[in-house]
Amino acid sequence: MNSENEFSILFNLNGDEIHYLGDPTRRLLNVLREDYHLTGVKEGCGEGECGACAILVDGHLYNSCLMMPYQINHKSVLTIEGFRDSKRFEIISRAFEAAGAVQCGFCTPGMVMATEALLRKNPHPLRDEIASFMSGNLCRCTGYDMIIKAVMIASEAGDGLW
Ligand code: FES
Ligand code: FES
């Protein structure tokens, strides 16, 4: 701790080593958007209900609106910006497009990160497993059939990548 409100935190952000010096109790969502301009991390509900702010921390899915910087000390954070140059992103995004699972797109970054987290754990999920895993990510526009279909398409198209 360097002063009453500052804390030194080291973490990896989308492949870059980051030294965050600041309030350890700020919302991680704000830190990512305001300090690092990672605006693909969306704010929907702001209280852990919608998944728009989803990120991966050490490969696991989290809602960044419920996290604080001290929780990512010495961890790796992946946002949609860090994921988008990968082959798996290409497969997932094409699957969402093919299934008609994107309309306004506000939920899509979180949906894509949730899909990546699910397929890392379970490369061949059943329909019910997809529905259950994705239930923390809300979409106002598409209905969930298309989203579930998108995950199934990605699972098939990316066979061997996860
Ligand atoms: S903004 Fe974080 S879960 Fe909705
Ligand atoms: S596509 Fe609009 S909220 Fe999901």
Side-chain angles (χ1 to χ4, degrees), residues 29 42-53 63-66:
L29 170 62
K42 302 296 183 196
E43 175 158 12
C45 65
E47 51 190 33
E49 299 290 341
C50 75
C53 64
N63 289 327
S64 59
C65 70
L66 295 183

Side-chain angles (χ1 to χ4, degrees), residues 48-64:
E49 299 290 341
C50 75
C53 64
I55 58 171
L56 299 193
V57 178
D58 286 350
H60 300 286
L61 190 66
Y62 287 91
N63 289 327
S64 59

Side-chain angles (χ1 to χ4, degrees), residues 100-108 111 138-144 147:
V102 179
Q103 288 185 29
C104 81
F106 189 81
C107 70
T108 308
M111 291 287 180
L138 304 185
C139 179
R140 299 170 294 190
C141 307
T142 62
Y144 293 93
I147 288 166

